[in-house]
Amino acid sequence: MAIGRPRTFNKEEALDQALDVFWRKGYEGASICDLTAAMGINPPSLYAAFGNKEALFRQALDRYSETRAGFVREALAAPKAREGIAALLRGTAQSLADKSSPRGCLLVQGIAGAGDHAQCIRDELSARRAAAQKAIRERLKQAQAEGELAADADPAALARYFSTVTQGMAIQAASGASRKELERIADMALRAWPD
Amino acid sequence: MAIGRPRTFNKEEALDQALDVFWRKGYEGASICDLTAAMGINPPSLYAAFGNKEALFRQALDRYSETRAGFVREALAAPKAREGIAALLRGTAQSLADKSSPRGCLLVQGIAGAGDHAQCIRDELSARRAAAQKAIRERLKQAQAEGELAADADPAALARYFSTVTQGMAIQAASGASRKELERIADMALRAWPD
DNA sequence: TGACTTACGTAGTAGGCGCTACATAAGTGT
DNA sequence: ACACTTATGTAGCGCCTACTACGTAAGTCA
């Protein structure tokens, strides 16, 4: 049996570069030419390794979740839900203002954008935002069951509210808001906590 | 002097149709073909009447501000700033959920998106969002001068916070949030009011 | 060494994009 | 009636997009 010529680039590093381009330009704004230039490869190598543009974007989304959105899971794992939400909001501010990454959130960019062929991409982004919101809701339900959160509180509404704030913060960050400004927003958002 | 052949379409109605397309698809997602089909005209008529795609979009933005975002000015004109902010948030919820219009906010769509040639469009949208935020800030400063708002409150931070919530609500609306859900978010956001 | 398998670089493909040249139609002035 | 001005419809421009056919390079096996 023959093994074949090994690829001359690192797939993970190339994916990281692709993620950076998608992050800065959005799905439709990132052209294959932009991507291949950043990844240091030619189009046929991209298609052989990742399938097509849409498949590459989904893999970039997965990598984004693993490497950049890990603080969400960590935050929600805090012993107290209120501390968890506070950590989530402050972590969002910090992440959005991180100078080593593009401003803004990959899941919030490109809400409308683009023709009908990108509908499934919008649906994918919407589903991932909904999943994050659900994670918050479940944590709040747990807090309610444990007695930390009042019985007459509404976990779904609270989760939607905090999710709304983080998404709005992503837009503020993309418009140039500083880390301190974003943290200030996070602090004010916490005042809606029912205590 | 000769007057020339009169145009056979209504310019304002055509602009309204263009606004609807931009609203649903975003600047880059709306192709000239989409626009001319919705407006009921051919490309040369579009370019003769509106200039080019970018100029058409700016005119659609102006019309959007006049016809759809008027409630913002009305809300902020309320005698009490707190009532004004409440009206602003509730009006946003109502406007975003209006079934006769596309979901979401024209100013929030297409944050990232697209190649370098649309940079000026993003800047324009960012500037208009900043203008809305400034209007809130000025209203809060006025309230502070009148004694309604505490002297140690931060009008700029509060304005940024409320602006953040409305922008986040636009994303929630684009993802399918109902009017009641949006109004619930608006109510919770008001809990950050310093009293 | 030579067959086999896989990756690579070059150079393209068809299709959609924003935009327009050109001939014609539809008005008003003298 | 004729010149003049402006709008319209057809048809197509050059450019960029995502994607790929093809010949070659680079490795592992018997």
Side-chain angles (χ1 to χ4, degrees), chain A residues 88-129:
Chain A
L88 170 66
L89 291 170
R90 295 225 182 81
T92 299
Q94 203 165 334
S95 173
L96 287 171
D98 182 12
K99 284 168 186 166
S100 67
S101 302
R103 287 300 182 92
C105 170
L106 184 57
L107 301 185
V108 172
Q109 294 176 352
I111 288 298
D116 312 321
H117 65 285
Q119 180 63 50
C120 55
I121 294 293
R122 268 173 292 177
D123 293 343
E124 173 81 27
L125 292 175
S126 182
R128 295 202 182 221
R129 289 193 304 268

Side-chain angles (χ1 to χ4, degrees), chain B residues 126-163:
Chain B
S126 181
R128 294 201 183 221
R129 289 194 303 270
Q133 186 169 312
K134 182 181 179 184
I136 300 175
R137 184 171 68 242
E138 294 304 320
R139 182 65 188 87
L140 293 175
K141 279 186 181 173
Q142 178 192 335
Q144 198 170 39
E146 292 170 349
E148 179 190 352
L149 193 62
D152 63 346
D154 186 340
L158 280 168
R160 188 155 35 236
Y161 165 74
F162 289 121
S163 192

Side-chain angles (χ1 to χ4, degrees), chain B residues 1-3 5 30-32 43-44 47 53:
Chain B
M1 284 302 147
I3 291 294
R5 176 176 176 176
S31 71
I32 296 293
Y47 284 89
K53 187 183 177 183

Side-chain angles (χ1 to χ4, degrees), chain A residues 1-194:
Chain A
M1 283 303 142
I3 292 294
R5 175 177 176 177
R7 65 164 55 98
T8 58
F9 64 95
N10 182 307
K11 192 172 174 180
E12 276 206 343
E13 287 177 6
L15 183 55
D16 277 331
Q17 295 301 320
L19 168 57
D20 185 76
V21 174
F22 280 130
W23 201 340
R24 283 185 289 106
K25 301 198 165 194
Y27 174 70
E28 303 223 277
S31 71
I32 296 292
C33 188
D34 294 330
L35 292 164
T36 54
M39 298 163 85
I41 60 179
N42 289 313
S45 297
L46 186 154
Y47 284 89
F50 300 101
N52 56 23
K53 187 183 177 182
E54 183 179 330
L56 173 62
F57 183 71
R58 290 182 196 275
Q59 291 170 69
L61 272 180
D62 289 336
R63 186 146 183 85
Y64 179 78
S65 299
E66 293 165 7
T67 62
R68 318 294 177 128
F71 75 88
V72 176
R73 270 185 298 274
E74 292 176 19
L76 293 181
K80 287 288 185 182
R82 170 153 191 172
E83 290 172 8
I85 298 296
L88 170 66
L89 291 170
R90 295 225 182 81
T92 299
Q94 203 165 334
S95 173
L96 287 171
D98 182 12
K99 284 168 186 166
S100 67
S101 302
R103 287 300 182 92
C105 170
L106 184 57
L107 301 185
V108 172
Q109 294 176 352
I111 288 298
D116 312 321
H117 65 285
Q119 180 63 50
C120 55
I121 294 293
R122 268 173 292 177
D123 293 343
E124 173 81 27
L125 292 175
S126 182
R128 295 202 182 221
R129 289 193 304 268
Q133 187 170 310
K134 182 181 179 182
I136 300 175
R137 184 172 67 244
E138 295 303 320
R139 181 66 188 88
L140 293 175
K141 280 186 181 176
Q142 177 193 335
Q144 199 170 38
E146 293 170 348
E148 179 190 354
L149 193 61
D152 63 346
D154 185 343
L158 279 168
R160 187 155 36 234
Y161 165 75
F162 289 121
S163 192
T164 299
V165 173
T166 59
Q167 289 162 9
M169 284 167 68
I171 294 176
Q172 292 285 326
S175 300
S178 71
R179 190 173 65 91
K180 287 188 178 180
E181 290 170 342
L182 294 172
E183 288 175 346
R184 195 74 187 273
I185 294 170
D187 291 341
M188 281 188 278
L190 256 190
R191 299 189 59 166
W193 186 273

